[in-house]
């Protein structure tokens, strides 16, 4: 699976004590005061001008470097570099936050809160500022510690919950709920630095993103120049001129036959990608989606602002290089007749000071018929754990992987593993021959990526030391050009098992290598998908059908067999 693995922060809840509001406010005050004292005292915190933090970071088991420059009260710059995965800079000045990740994008919502919270002491320095109130909620377990939970409310900015260690009084966790999304920050390994107690371990997790930072050095009371915090030119673009465009990923949208259910149906899946020339944020307020067949408007579906927030993501900017401010993922399942041949998409957006705008996009919808006759790349019994799925499954929402399969080999009695499945060799598919699904020319072949040592463990550090680590994510692989704009990629093969090289011609059914557990993988399996170009993460995925299986497009979760 080419997928991201999220880090989680576990907490065991204990029922809070029920008290009146006045009592809970009074109870919160000494807790916050003890926290201020534990962190270094009011005088030390108020004297802080800022700091620089240097360290390491890990996301999806991929290691990298982290730097944060903070100047109180309202300036932050962060830089994250993870080889083959991320090179990102974020800046905060006053209340405006921006990200540079190839493209420039304004930060709002949970992204802006995450950046602002790099000013770690701000809630405690301003503990008794006008418009700020604290309320004790109760006690909960966070990891091994018992914590006092206190809710902080700021006029005009909502509230957040802080979890203070009942033994040491330092903050161990905070939770922010922003527009229906949750950001959790965990702090640990406090050490005294220039009279202030600083956390050297920080983890933050939010939907579809999680990072673990280990700070190796703090430089306290440094004073970075203003130039460090200057926002990109896009941040200073005139507010009166917005240049908005809508597009789709995939570029070509297909209707795909679905099996099962109440009757024959067609599935239509796409992301509407919203871009603004200067990267400025706009809020989706409503959408109206018309499904058409010929001259007939078959159905109109409306989405509220709350419904659109549930569909919203930043899916393609990182690897696909798409300049999006956000995208909206849609999936429709309709009776097979009449065949939907276009979608008319109306989107209402709102900018600053309530300004509204309406954009319309017409999306052609076609049925894809592969030009290449394919056979399944694994013989015998198999199980598709992800395949032609239309859920937002981690990994397969990547651009080229919309119709991807993750395939595991089964034994003669349909068993997935022998013994307890603790080793790669315990999996029935381990070492099975991987076959060319059709004839063609090898565009790329790789044989040097180590297999992960055991199932459930992705050893990302092994990838960044290899040449072209971006493609090492697919593990040992073979990419075949079948002609007619169709390319097959077969990934996660065993190290040293690949039998072909770039430029070779292969025939259908030829052995390419053996099923392994290399690259960004959680266990022995084969990743296969068909795509419209040779560039992974930047090509349309294509629906595939196999001529030698009991079901032409094997569904997820049901055993299949290839002759």
């Amino acid at each position: 699976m080419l997928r991201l693995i999220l880090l989680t922060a576990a907490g065991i809840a204990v029922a809070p004590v029920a008290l009146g509001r006045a009592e809970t406010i009074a109870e919160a005050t000494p807790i916050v005061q003890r926290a201020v004292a534990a962190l270094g005292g009011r005088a030390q915190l108020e004297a802080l001008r800022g700091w620089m933090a240097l360290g390491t970071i890990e996301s999806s088991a991929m290691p990298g470097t982290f730097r944060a420059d903070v100047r109180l009260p309202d300036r932050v710059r962060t830089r994250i570099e993870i080889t083959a995965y991320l090179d990102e800079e974020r800046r905060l000045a006053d209340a405006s936050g921006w990200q540079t990740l190839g493209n420039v994008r304004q930060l709002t919502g949970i992204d802006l809160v995450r950046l602002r919270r790099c000013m770690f002491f701000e809630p405690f320095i301003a503990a008794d500022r006008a418009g700020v109130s604290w309320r004790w909620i109760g006690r909960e377990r966070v990891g091994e510690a018992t914590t006092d939970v206190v809710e902080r409310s700021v006029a005009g900015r909502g509230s957040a919950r802080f979890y203070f260690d009942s033994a040491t009084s330092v903050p161990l966790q905070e939770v922010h709920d922003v527009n229906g999304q949750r950001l959790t920050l965990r702090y640990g390994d406090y050490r005294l630095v220039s009279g202030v107690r600083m956390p050297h371990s920080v983890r933050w997790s939010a939907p579809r993103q999680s990072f673990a930072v280990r700070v190796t050095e703090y430089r306290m009371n440094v004073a970075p120049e203003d130039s460090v915090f200057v926002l990109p030119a896009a941040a200073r673009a005139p507010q009166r001129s917005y240049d908005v465009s809508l597009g789709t990923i995939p570029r070509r949208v297909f209707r795909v036959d679905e099996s099962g259910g109440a009757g024959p149906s067609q599935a239509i899946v796409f992301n509407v990608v919203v871009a603004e020339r200067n990267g400025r944020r706009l809020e989706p307020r409503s959408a109206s989606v018309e499904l058409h067949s010929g001259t007939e408007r078959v159905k109109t579906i409306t989405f509220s602002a709350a419904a659109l927030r549930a569909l919203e993501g930043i899916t393609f900017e990182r690897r696909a290089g798409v300049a999006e401010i956000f995208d909206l993922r849609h999936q429709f399942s309709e009776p097979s007749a009449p065949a939907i041949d276009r979608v008319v998409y109306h989107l209402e957006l709102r900018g600053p000071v309530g300004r509204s705008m309406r954009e319309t996009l017409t999306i052609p919808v076609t049925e894809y018929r592969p030009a290449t006759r394919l056979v399944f790349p694994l013989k015998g019994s198999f199980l598709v754990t992800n395949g032609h799925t239309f859920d937002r499954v981690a990994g397969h929402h990547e651009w080229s992987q919309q119709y991807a399969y993750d395939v595991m080999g089964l034994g003669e009695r349909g068993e997935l593993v022998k013994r307890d499945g603790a080793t790669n060799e315990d999996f029935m598919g381990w070492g099975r021959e991987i076959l060319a699904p059709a004839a063609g020319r090898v565009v790329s072949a790789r044989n040097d990526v180590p297999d992960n040592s055991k199932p459930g463990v992705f050893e990302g550090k092994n990838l960044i030391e290899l040449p072209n680590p971006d493609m090492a994510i697919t593990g040992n692989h073979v990419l075949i050009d079948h002609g007619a704009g169709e390319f097959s990629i077969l990934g996660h093969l065993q190290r040293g098992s690949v039998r072909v090289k770039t430029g070779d011609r292969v025939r259908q059914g030829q052995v390419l290598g053996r099923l392994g557990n290399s690259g960004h993988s959680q266990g022995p399996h084969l990743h296969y998908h068909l795509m419209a170009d040779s560039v992974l993460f930047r090509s349309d995925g294509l629906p595939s059908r196999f001529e030698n299986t009991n079901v032409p497009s094997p569904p997820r979760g049901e055993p299949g067999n290839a002759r």
Side-chain angles (χ1 to χ4, degrees):
M1 280 170 277
L2 310 183
R3 62 192 182 99
L4 305 182
I5 308 157
L6 299 184
L7 301 165
T8 59
I12 303 172
V14 178
V17 179
L19 296 172
R21 180 170 178 82
E23 293 174 279
T24 59
I25 292 173
E27 190 75 21
T29 300
I31 294 171
V32 177
Q33 289 174 343
R34 288 195 296 269
V36 170
L39 292 170
R42 177 178 290 273
Q44 283 278 21
L45 299 189
E46 289 183 343
L48 278 176
R49 291 179 294 140
W51 59 86
M52 177 195 298
L54 301 172
T56 61
I57 191 166
E58 184 175 286
S59 180
S60 303
M62 298 287 284
T65 60
F66 173 83
R67 172 174 173 166
D69 294 280
V70 176
R71 191 173 75 187
L72 298 174
D74 54 16
R75 298 287 190 272
V76 174
R77 181 186 68 172
T78 63
R79 181 71 185 273
I80 297 172
E81 293 182 86
I82 300 177
T83 302
Y85 178 58
L86 185 63
D87 186 353
E88 172 198 88
E89 185 172 272
R90 296 187 176 206
R91 299 189 190 199
L92 175 76
D94 302 314
S96 186
W98 291 77
Q99 175 196 62
T100 303
L101 181 61
N103 304 295
V104 175
R105 177 172 66 88
Q106 186 176 14
L107 298 175
T108 59
I110 207 165
D111 287 321
L112 184 59
V113 172
R114 192 188 100 190
L115 182 59
R116 185 181 288 130
R117 288 305 300 122
C118 289
M119 297 183 295
F120 174 67
F121 296 105
E122 184 266 339
F124 315 114
I125 295 174
D128 53 1
R129 182 180 297 167
V132 176
S133 64
W134 298 84
R135 182 168 65 94
W136 186 62
I137 302 298
R139 286 191 164 181
E140 292 186 18
R141 297 281 291 180
V142 173
E144 299 298 317
T146 300
T147 66
D148 286 287
V149 186
V150 179
E151 184 176 77
R152 178 181 187 256
S153 299
V154 181
R157 279 176 49 182
S159 62
R161 290 193 174 188
F162 290 77
Y163 298 68
F164 298 98
D165 190 319
S166 299
T168 66
S169 296
V170 297
L172 295 184
Q173 177 174 283
E174 57 186 83
V175 176
H176 302 257
D177 288 301
V178 185
N179 295 330
Q181 295 185 313
R182 173 162 291 188
L183 170 67
T184 301
L185 298 104
R186 293 282 298 271
Y187 305 105
D189 190 16
Y190 279 88
R191 305 180 204 171
L192 204 60
V193 183
S194 301
V196 180
R197 203 167 300 280
M198 305 292 292
H200 285 64
S201 170
V202 182
R203 294 181 178 229
W204 67 80
S205 59
R208 299 180 63 200
Q209 57 172 287
S210 189
F211 296 88
V213 174
R214 169 64 61 179
V215 179
T216 56
E217 180 185 3
Y218 280 107
R219 299 176 188 174
M220 305 302 290
N221 281 319
V222 296
E225 299 294 327
D226 284 342
S227 59
V228 170
F229 306 105
V230 169
L231 298 179
R236 302 186 295 276
Q239 294 297 311
R240 64 181 180 275
S241 56
Y242 279 84
D243 186 353
V244 181
S245 62
L246 304 183
T248 64
I249 289 182
R251 300 302 192 203
R252 291 185 293 168
V253 175
F254 305 117
R255 58 178 181 269
V256 179
D257 290 336
E258 291 184 299
S259 58
S265 61
Q266 54 188 318
I268 302 168
V269 184
F270 56 86
N271 291 64
V272 171
V273 179
V274 182
E276 198 278 324
R277 181 169 56 91
N278 292 299
R280 290 169 296 177
R281 172 68 184 181
L282 294 162
E283 297 293 334
R285 301 303 301 164
S286 66
S288 173
V289 183
E290 302 170 5
L291 306 181
H292 292 258
S293 178
T295 58
E296 178 187 1
R297 185 168 64 184
V298 177
K299 181 183 285 189
T300 300
I301 306 164
T302 59
F303 295 86
S304 66
L308 292 175
R309 281 198 297 271
L311 302 173
E312 183 180 337
I314 306 293
T315 309
F316 303 104
E317 65 174 359
R318 185 172 296 171
R319 294 194 180 281
V322 173
E324 62 172 309
I325 54 174
F326 62 85
D327 59 83
L328 300 163
R329 183 168 178 82
H330 290 280
Q331 51 194 64
F332 303 100
S333 182
E334 298 294 322
S336 292
I340 303 302
D341 59 19
R342 74 184 185 281
V343 174
V344 180
Y345 194 96
H346 306 282
L347 180 62
E348 183 179 348
L349 300 158
R350 187 174 68 184
V353 296
R355 179 181 176 183
S356 295
M357 58 201 76
R358 185 176 174 87
E359 301 291 330
T360 297
L361 177 67
T362 299
I363 307 166
V365 179
T366 60
E367 180 181 359
Y368 189 74
R369 298 183 180 276
T372 306
R373 301 178 64 178
L374 302 170
V375 298
F376 203 72
L378 195 70
K379 281 192 175 180
S381 297
F382 61 86
L383 178 71
V384 173
T385 57
N386 271 339
H388 275 225
T389 179
F390 303 116
D391 299 327
R392 198 168 200 162
V393 178
H396 285 186
H397 58 257
E398 294 280 10
W399 188 346
S400 63
Q401 297 176 56
Q402 182 165 322
Y403 301 102
Y405 291 94
D406 287 325
V407 184
M408 304 182 78
L410 300 178
E412 293 180 357
R413 297 182 297 277
E415 65 272 32
L416 185 62
V417 297
K418 51 190 175 184
R419 296 184 289 274
D420 59 1
T423 70
N424 290 327
E425 292 78 7
D426 283 349
F427 281 71
M428 302 302 296
W430 175 258
R432 290 263 290 271
E433 291 183 339
I434 303 303
L435 312 176
R441 180 179 60 85
V442 176
V443 175
S444 173
R446 185 153 199 165
N447 212 12
D448 64 335
V449 183
D451 287 281
N452 295 298
S453 58
K454 60 182 179 180
V457 175
F458 166 51
E459 295 159 333
K461 64 181 183 299
N462 292 335
L463 305 189
I464 64 175
E465 299 170 355
L466 297 171
N468 192 7
D470 201 41
M471 282 300 288
I473 288 173
T474 66
N476 303 304
H477 65 270
V478 179
L479 174 60
I480 304 171
D481 180 0
H482 302 301
E486 294 180 342
F487 297 77
S488 284
I489 186 162
L490 305 97
H492 306 311
L493 279 59
Q494 278 188 22
R495 183 182 190 177
S497 75
V498 176
R499 302 184 184 182
V500 296
K501 62 184 184 302
T502 301
D504 285 355
R505 300 290 304 184
V506 297
R507 64 184 185 281
Q508 187 176 66
Q510 180 177 334
V511 176
L512 303 174
R514 294 187 177 275
L515 187 147
N517 184 21
S518 60
H520 205 163
S521 167
Q522 283 289 296
H525 76 287
L526 169 70
H527 176 99
Y528 172 77
H529 70 262
L530 190 69
M531 57 186 179
D533 206 335
S534 61
V535 184
L536 197 64
F537 308 124
R538 299 193 179 199
S539 304
D540 280 356
L542 300 174
S544 52
R545 296 174 63 85
F546 304 100
E547 297 188 340
N548 64 333
T549 55
N550 53 335
V551 179
S553 296
R556 179 179 60 165
E558 295 184 18
N561 190 273
R563 301 183 297 276

